[in-house]
Amino acid sequence: NIIGIDIEKIRDNIEFEKLTRRFFSQSEHQEIMKFKDTSRLDAFFATWTRKEALVKATGTGIAYGLDKFDVSVDPDKPAELLNSRWQTECQSNWSLLNIDTQPNYKACLAVAGDMPDIRYWKI
């Protein structure tokens, strides 16, 4: 299977609102802005790791455009590819999974096709 993974430390010293406006789709930016204060930062990093995991798995990289597809933004809900504007069949070909990590980190796994049974240990 083709996979991609991204792990990010949640940092509050970045201008995440500008980053969402510049790199994410308009709908993702609007959804993230609906969250309050620190929850907004969590939503940004959840979205970022979901998008990064997918572009790593596809091999396109972020230069192709993170705004060309939408992922779920709520950090407390399952990761999902909602739609893709670069490959119409892409949505049904990829599965995303939030990975439980240490506090102050977000992580996501992208897998081509259905998500296999994943087991991991958190230290």
Side-chain angles (χ1 to χ4, degrees):
N1 278 353
I2 299 172
I3 66 166
I5 189 167
D6 191 55
I7 302 168
E8 299 284 338
K9 181 175 171 97
I10 297 173
R11 304 172 307 279
D12 60 3
N13 63 343
I14 64 167
E15 296 184 33
F16 65 91
E17 290 183 34
K18 286 183 182 178
L19 291 171
T20 63
R21 196 174 296 112
R22 180 169 179 205
F23 293 106
F24 293 178
S25 71
Q26 184 178 3
S27 63
E28 289 166 333
H29 171 73
Q30 290 171 346
E31 286 298 312
I32 289 170
M33 292 302 116
K34 290 179 184 177
F35 286 88
K36 297 193 189 287
D37 304 326
T38 57
S39 296
R40 193 177 292 167
L41 189 63
D42 281 347
F44 166 78
F45 278 102
T47 306
W48 185 268
T49 57
R50 293 166 184 181
K51 290 173 120 13
E52 279 278 322
L54 188 61
V55 297
K56 287 176 181 178
T58 63
T60 58
I62 63 171
Y64 188 74
L66 295 177
D67 61 341
K68 295 195 187 300
F69 61 96
D70 298 316
V71 296
S72 55
V73 302
D74 191 328
D76 297 322
K77 293 191 177 168
E80 267 186 281
L81 174 61
L82 301 175
N83 70 54
S84 171
R85 289 174 288 288
W86 92 83
Q87 295 174 323
T88 55
E89 76 283 355
C90 189
Q91 186 173 342
S92 61
N93 291 340
W94 292 95
S95 298
L96 301 177
L97 176 69
N98 294 326
I99 299 174
D100 190 23
T101 61
Q102 297 295 316
N104 299 318
Y105 285 85
K106 292 287 183 210
C108 186
L109 171 70
V111 176
D114 293 331
M115 186 63 65
D117 184 29
I118 303 290
R119 295 181 220 174
Y120 60 92
W121 288 266
K122 183 178 163 186
I123 299 173

